[in-house]
Amino acid sequence: QVQLVESGGGLVQAGGSLRLSCAASGRTLSTYAMGWFRQAPGKEREFVAAIRWSGSNTYADSVKGRFTISRDNAKNTVYLQLNSLKPEDTAVYYCAAGANINVVATTPRYWGQGTQVTVSS
């Protein structure tokens, strides 16, 4: 079973930055695409970003230009750099993985437990 464990969440002021990490373990492939989703209370879980093994990536329009996804295959870890944070970015952020970037962006095979990001005004 593949396990994804997120870390790096916390409380930050608007305009600040955070770096989220997702460490993968268990039966996983280095070629898996990985990504991030987020969910605020009372809202649907929404796609944030995804990345291929090559580094090619895609972002939701709401975070484009502010967030950066990256990965380190040697560490089986994916990162999400959150810059210029806004209160509306407050949510639980979930790591996800799948066979390709389209799977990750729509119906991920694997999920992490989530890490809370809270942005104050």
Side-chain angles (χ1 to χ4, degrees):
Q1 191 79 20
V2 173
Q3 290 184 304
L4 304 173
V5 181
E6 302 95 329
S7 62
L11 175 64
V12 64
Q13 286 187 266
S17 299
L18 285 173
R19 191 192 193 200
L20 308 183
S21 298
C22 173
S25 63
R27 188 159 56 187
T28 187
L29 299 176
S30 62
T31 54
Y32 270 18
M34 300 184 73
W36 293 90
F37 286 71
R38 66 185 182 184
Q39 187 169 25
K43 294 185 177 181
E44 297 259 296
R45 187 171 298 189
E46 66 173 342
F47 170 75
V48 175
I51 186 168
R52 294 185 173 96
W53 62 266
S54 65
S56 175
N57 52 52
T58 186
Y59 298 92
D61 288 341
S62 60
V63 306
K64 196 170 297 181
R66 299 189 298 121
F67 293 5
T68 303
I69 189 170
S70 61
R71 66 189 297 168
D72 185 339
N73 290 332
K75 295 181 178 180
N76 288 323
T77 301
V78 64
Y79 305 95
L80 187 67
Q81 179 68 42
L82 316 177
N83 295 328
S84 302
L85 283 163
K86 306 173 182 179
E88 51 262 45
D89 293 320
T90 295
V92 176
Y93 283 70
Y94 296 91
C95 181
N100 60 65
I101 197 165
N102 290 327
V103 167
V104 171
T106 56
T107 54
R109 177 70 171 175
Y110 306 103
W111 292 95
Q113 85 288 353
T115 186
Q116 177 72 47
V117 171
T118 303
V119 184
S120 62
S121 300

